[in-house]
Amino acid sequence: MEYIMPCVCAFFACCAFTITYNIHWKRILPVCTGGALGWFVYLLLKDFGDVFAYFAATVVISLYSEIMARICKVPVIVFLTTAILPLVPGSGMYYTMEYCIQKDTILFIETGLHTLALAGAIVLGIMTVTTIVRMLKIIHAPKYFLRGKRRREEF
């Protein structure tokens, strides 16, 4: 129960954002499943450290988004933006600004750097998966790229 309830909450939080992003009703379930899946991975790995857990959860969400985008024939960003929202370190940003306003420099810097590390883990996870997928596309479709190259050389 300790893992199920937060994942259900993440699922419904993603559902609220699908309405905001005007996602078609047929895609709401797969999009929200990505958010719950990412939160589940985070909960499983948070004992290894927040930054690693954020990175691993983001990698899982990115892989899920890439796969589901090809299955549903929509851009990856449709799945990625909504599914990544439960991981956004909003409380860290809030407390960073609170400590800044209270002029508590030590806590401001500590919380700010931790929040920045979490955001960096999210970005690094997305970039890693996107780069690998693009490299695989190039490796598995060399004829496509060579044809374009030959055409340019002919003119």
Side-chain angles (χ1 to χ4, degrees):
M1 198 62 162
E2 155 185 4
Y3 293 120
I4 294 171
M5 211 47 202
C7 293
V8 169
C9 291
F11 180 86
F12 286 117
C14 289
C15 285
F17 279 99
T18 59
I19 296 167
T20 304
Y21 291 149
N22 199 20
I23 293 176
H24 195 269
W25 65 271
K26 291 179 181 178
R27 294 187 185 96
I28 289 177
L29 184 63
V31 168
C32 298
T33 303
L37 178 67
W39 196 250
F40 180 72
V41 171
Y42 168 73
L43 290 175
L44 284 178
L45 299 175
K46 71 179 179 180
D47 292 336
F48 295 106
D50 277 348
V51 178
F52 175 73
Y54 266 70
F55 175 76
T58 305
V59 166
V60 169
I61 289 172
S62 297
L63 283 171
Y64 177 81
S65 298
E66 292 281 349
I67 292 167
M68 290 305 295
R70 273 137 188 91
I71 291 172
C72 296
K73 297 180 181 170
V74 295
V76 176
I77 200 79
V78 170
F79 288 92
L80 192 58
T81 54
T82 306
I84 209 77
L85 283 170
L87 290 178
V88 172
S91 63
M93 291 183 269
Y94 173 81
Y95 288 118
T96 300
M97 294 315 301
E98 181 182 13
Y99 297 139
C100 179
I101 290 170
Q102 292 175 352
K103 297 181 181 172
D104 192 349
T105 309
I106 302 296
L107 284 175
F108 166 69
I109 292 172
E110 181 181 322
T111 310
L113 288 175
H114 185 260
T115 304
L116 193 61
L118 295 179
I122 291 171
V123 170
L124 192 61
I126 293 171
M127 282 178 29
T128 302
V129 172
T130 304
T131 303
I132 291 171
V133 168
R134 286 186 184 191
M135 287 172 50
L136 289 175
K137 278 184 188 178
I138 291 171
I139 291 170
H140 283 88
K143 293 178 183 176
Y144 172 77
F145 292 103
L146 288 176
R147 277 186 292 171
K149 200 173 194 181
R150 285 185 193 147
R151 285 185 188 158
R152 280 186 233 124
E153 290 174 357
E154 290 174 1
F155 293 110

